[in-house]
Every structure is written in C-alpha cells, then in structure tokens.
Amino acid sequence: MKKNLFINGNWEDGEKYSELKSPYSREVIAEIAQATKEQVNKAVDSAQEAFNTMKSLSSFQRSTILDQLVNLLTANKDKAAEIISLESAKPLKFAISEVDRTIETYKFAAEEAKRISGEVIPIDAAKNGANKIGFTIHEPIGVIAAITPFNFPMNLVAHKVGPAIAAGNTIVLKPASQTPLSAIFLAELLAQTDLPKGAFNLVTGSGKVVGDALVENEKVKMVTFTGSPEVGKNIKTRAGLKRVSLELGSNAGLIIDKDVDVDSIIDKCVNAAFSNQGQVCISLQRIYVHEQIIEEFTRKFKERTDQLVLGDPLDINTDISALISEGDLSRAKTWIEEAVTEGASLTTGGTIENQILRPTILSNVGNTSKVSCQEAFAPVVTVNKISSVDEAIQQINDSIFGLQAGIFTNNILNASQAIKHLEVGGVIINDVPTFRVDHMPYGGVKESGNCREGIKYAIEEMTELKLVVWNHN
C-alpha cells in the first residue's frame, strides 16, 4: 500500500517509494514516499503561506482545533495503537498506553493554548520610566520543522505538533523512517479538523535529504529534534540563527538505598528497564544498589525479569518483542558480550530467541563498558553495588548524559543530597527515572539536550517574547 506526502492540505505522490518492513515479522507493510528536496521546500513554502492565517486565529480557535483532534484520536484509539505496534514492534499493551498519553498531551495543548500570556513590567521603577507602562506578549515564531524518532512515534510527535498549534505556528513534520505510519495517520485526522490548509505538512524520507533540506531552508524559524546526540550536534552546527530545540540521549541511573523495601520496587524497576524493549530515552539502564540489600534485589529482579513474555507485538500478552532493526539487535548483543569480556557477570538474558533479545541483566559492570557509558536503547540494564548514596551520585554523574535520575530512599538527607548533586534535568524521588507525565518540564543537561519539553515549556520555546512600552503622558 503506497503512502504519500501531505503538503498544503493535499496528498502528493513521491518520485520514489521505499518498502517499510515490520521489525518483528520482517514483512513489507507499506511503501513510503521519499520526498525530494524540492518537495520539502514546497512543504515549507506552504507552511510559510499559511502562517499569517494561523497566527491570526484566536486562542479559542486554536484550542478548538486541538480538541477536535483529541476527539478524533479518542474515537480511533484501537487503530492508532495497532499502527504503532505494527510499525515499531512496540508490544500492544504499551502502544495502547502511548495512545492514551498522546490524547492527554493534545488535551494539555488545547488547555495551554488559552493560557499563553505575558506580564506587566513596572517601567516607572526606573528613574527615567515615569508615565510609562510596559507589558510582554508571546508571538508565534513561524514555520517549525519537527524531526521525530521511532520509539514513541505518536506521543513524541504530539510534543512538537501540539504546542506548535497551540502557539499559532505552522509545522513541517519529518517522522522517523521506520515509523511514518503514525504520522500519516495524524495527518489524516488533522485534515478532518478546522486547522488551516498548509498549517501542517508531512514529508517522509531519509534524514540526509529531508532533514538536511529542512535545516537549510531559511524560511524555517525553528528546528525541534528528538534523537541521537550526534545528529543533534550536526543540526545545531548547521542551523545558523534558527532556534534549535534538542532532546537527545541518556543512560538513566537509579539509586536504591539500604532502607528500601525491595518487594515494593521490583515491578517498577522491571517495567522501567524493559518497557518497549528499553527503547526509551529515560529507560532505566544503570542501577546502583546499597551493598546491604543488593543480593536480595538482584535475585528478585532476575526472577521477575525472567517472567516477561516474548513474542508478537500485536499479542496483548507480549511484554518484549523485536528491536527496531536487525542492526540494533546485533549491536546490543555485541555490547553485552563486550561487557562480559571486560569482567561483568551475566545475571540473566543475553541471548536471542526468534530474533528477540531476551531482557538482560549485567552485574559488576565497569564504567567504561558501552552498556554503562553509552545509550543502550535495548533491553539491557546494569546492577552495581555501592556503599553509600554519595558514591552512587558520583557514579551517575560520571556520564556524558544527564536527562533524569531516580532514587529510592527513606532518608530525607539522602534524598536532599540527590536533588542537590545529581547532574540531570530531572530528579525523581522514590520512583524510577523513567517516570514522565506529559505536562511536566522534561529535558536534560550535558549531551542529553538543550531545552525543556512538556506543553507549557515547549510553547515558551516556540514563541518570541515581545516587549511593549506605552508612554501615557
């Protein structure tokens, strides 16, 4: 089945098409149009032409459009979840959860569209400010190029499209090459709303062609990207004066203090480490457990992990399915073998069953092993022993990444130490670092990114602040 580009409110053929295969079955599930540079520029032109109409809409109108999208997505929840599961091999139970989160994300965007406001500035507080008042307003920035990853093909798109519409911007979306079907489905739904023609455009294809054309186009005022640090750095280098919003990699760490009830946290840790095969930006990758309870934790963590069900992502009982590509499967297996060669112990997993990597726990892993210091993006987690929370904080900070980290503790001083000293964008107390709700400020430091998402905070990134000073003398 051929899937086309969506430009200026119309479906447009591609000059070439590429086969899209299911990561699980390896069967061809669609043929995806590969946009040319000229088609990308046409999409940008359409967005630019629609911008005056879009920014003239009232906040009520923008909110109503997003509410319409919410209603359409709610009515098509099952279909949306099946699309996610089919194109990404995300187990259906997690795909359903993603659709629920996506609906909530667009609801937040609809609400925030009505709350974009500035502030009054007391100009007369200055010596020469008498008889003057000042205030600020937020104006839409213009055409936004959104480049999104495969792991949450519907919700991470919502985190860019939702706030862009709420703020009155126009969008050109380039989804990940492996997961374009979710974005195409979104275009089909938006075409049924009151969104102005040309305000949303969808161009599928390679990053080399589509991504580069978007970054180079002078009419694009902002690039918002979620993906690898290498690509993010390249975009920022070449973007010139465009605003660039980057959500990048992570190898999230968790501290488990000696006073913790192990039974109460096992399920959370297993879900955080292995949900969506570990292909989550804040997937739990490094666990640091106090020496007094590490044996109990490791035993129970292994027992629960070994109960996970491997299989077809469209089976509601499946917990673990295929990684996004055969290349990622091979890479993850190699990293596991390298860690063992470097002295780590294989607690469980590490083998491939029907092209599915069994969820893997490694113990006593060195800081320089790839499974520890790089982003695994696979069902792999390390468990290391620590003698104090301070030691664990140092271990977590010994990383190029800094997205989120968590700590389980009943000691308020240790929790305070974690808040103060962990070098991350978010510290999660008595929960896993994988925790996220879609209206909280979300983003990292170091090579984890340079911005904050979460609808309210993304809107701030996607607007220009204008000052007005009024002389009323």
Side-chain angles (χ1 to χ4, degrees):
M1 182 186 299
K2 287 188 175 181
K3 298 291 185 178
N4 293 327
L5 313 170
F6 189 70
I7 299 174
N8 199 31
N10 300 304
W11 294 99
E12 183 169 315
D13 293 345
E15 290 186 9
K16 295 180 180 179
Y17 289 80
S18 177
E19 289 185 343
L20 178 67
K21 294 182 178 180
S22 159
Y24 174 71
S25 70
R26 309 308 302 165
E27 295 176 351
V28 175
I29 55 178
E31 293 181 65
I32 308 300
Q34 303 296 292
T36 63
K37 182 176 181 180
E38 290 73 25
Q39 287 174 315
V40 174
N41 290 337
K42 180 180 177 181
V44 174
D45 288 343
S46 298
Q48 178 64 32
E49 290 170 8
F51 179 56
N52 284 335
T53 302
M54 190 66 190
K55 73 177 183 180
S56 298
L57 295 180
S58 68
S59 59
F60 175 82
Q61 289 173 307
R62 297 194 302 272
S63 179
T64 298
I65 290 165
L66 289 161
D67 280 333
Q68 291 170 343
L69 178 58
V70 165
N71 292 336
L72 288 165
L73 195 51
T74 301
N76 290 276
K77 282 175 60 173
D78 292 343
K79 182 178 180 181
E82 288 178 5
I83 290 171
I84 293 170
S85 191
L86 181 65
E87 68 179 351
S88 71
K90 177 174 289 191
L92 189 58
K93 64 177 70 176
F94 299 120
I96 292 169
S97 176
E98 179 177 349
V99 176
D100 286 337
R101 281 186 58 191
T102 302
I103 291 169
E104 188 171 56
T105 300
Y106 284 121
K107 283 182 178 178
F108 284 132
E111 294 163 1
E112 289 297 337
K114 297 180 178 180
R115 291 199 282 255
I116 302 173
S117 61
E119 62 179 338
V120 174
I121 310 296
I123 301 297
D124 64 355
K127 185 176 181 180
N128 64 340
N131 300 315
K132 295 179 177 66
I133 60 171
F135 59 91
T136 60
I137 56 177
H138 288 268
E139 295 187 330
I141 196 169
V143 179
I144 294 178
I147 304 174
T148 56
F150 71 84
N151 57 324
F152 283 84
M154 206 162 279
N155 193 43
L156 291 183
V157 166
H159 272 282
K160 301 182 187 305
V161 173
I165 292 174
N169 295 297
T170 56
I171 312 120
V172 180
L173 171 64
K174 184 229 170 292
S177 295
Q178 179 57 45
T179 53
L181 299 182
S182 294
I184 291 168
F185 185 60
L186 171 64
E188 292 170 352
L189 297 183
L190 282 172
Q192 301 174 53
T193 72
D194 293 333
L195 188 69
K197 183 179 179 180
F200 174 85
N201 302 270
L202 171 66
V203 282
T204 50
S206 72
K208 183 66 177 174
V209 175
V210 178
D212 286 1
L214 288 172
V215 173
E216 293 166 3
N217 193 301
E218 292 298 323
K219 294 178 182 177
V220 171
K221 299 304 179 186
M222 176 179 178
V223 178
T224 172
F225 169 80
T226 299
S228 71
E230 292 75 23
V231 176
K233 290 175 186 176
N234 183 265
I235 288 173
K236 189 167 177 61
T237 299
R238 295 188 298 110
L241 294 179
K242 292 181 180 67
R243 190 170 295 181
V244 178
S245 173
L246 302 174
E247 289 286 357
L248 306 176
S250 180
N251 56 356
L254 172 67
I255 302 166
I256 302 177
D257 206 354
K258 62 184 177 182
D259 56 6
V260 172
D261 174 16
V262 170
D263 288 329
S264 69
I265 67 170
I266 289 295
D267 283 347
K268 282 190 174 184
C269 291
V270 170
N271 188 59
F274 303 121
S275 174
N276 194 25
Q277 292 80 256
Q279 297 168 136
V280 181
C281 293
I282 40 178
S283 179
L284 176 55
Q285 187 172 326
R286 298 180 292 157
I287 305 177
Y288 299 95
V289 189
H290 195 279
E291 58 190 3
Q292 292 185 18
I293 62 170
I294 189 167
E295 289 187 10
E296 178 190 7
F297 174 83
T298 303
R299 173 172 52 83
K300 292 180 177 178
F301 189 44
K302 176 186 181 300
E303 289 173 356
R304 181 67 187 89
T305 297
D306 288 343
Q307 295 171 9
L308 295 174
V309 177
L310 281 61
D312 187 337
L314 291 171
D315 184 338
I316 196 65
N317 296 310
T318 295
D319 298 307
I320 301 287
S321 192
L323 287 170
I324 197 66
S325 72
E326 293 177 351
D328 283 280
L329 176 63
S330 175
R331 173 189 56 79
K333 184 72 163 59
T334 299
W335 285 16
I336 293 166
E337 292 169 349
E338 286 180 358
V340 172
T341 299
E342 292 164 355
S345 300
L346 182 63
T347 302
T348 192
T351 59
I352 296 172
E353 181 179 309
N354 296 325
Q355 296 305 303
I356 298 173
L357 179 63
R358 294 198 66 85
T360 302
I361 302 171
L362 292 161
S363 300
N364 304 314
V365 182
N367 286 352
T368 59
S369 291
K370 290 186 179 72
V371 293
S372 179
C373 66
Q374 297 187 31
E375 183 175 40
F377 234 57
V380 180
V381 64
T382 67
V383 179
N384 281 0
K385 178 174 65 177
I386 47 99
S387 58
S388 68
V389 168
D390 285 343
E391 179 187 353
I393 291 172
Q394 292 174 12
Q395 294 288 336
I396 289 178
N397 288 345
D398 184 18
S399 172
I400 62 173
F401 300 116
L403 188 46
Q404 291 192 168
I407 178 172
F408 283 105
T409 183
N410 292 314
N411 185 315
I412 192 170
L413 295 179
N414 285 342
S416 298
Q417 284 291 95
I419 293 169
K420 184 174 183 180
H421 295 293
L422 282 170
E423 297 168 357
V424 292
V427 178
I428 315 298
I429 306 297
N430 286 329
D431 213 328
V432 290
T434 318
F435 175 81
R436 182 183 182 184
V437 289
D438 294 289
H439 62 303
M440 75 186 203
Y442 172 82
V445 298
K446 298 190 274 190
E447 291 196 14
S448 286
N450 67 351
C451 67
R452 293 296 180 270
E453 290 193 336
I455 302 302
K456 172 185 175 182
Y457 307 93
I459 287 172
E460 291 176 1
E461 300 270 353
M462 294 179 177
T463 54
E464 294 284 7
L465 186 68
K466 178 180 284 186
L467 170 68
V468 178
V469 177
W470 195 314
N471 185 347
H472 58 82
N473 184 13

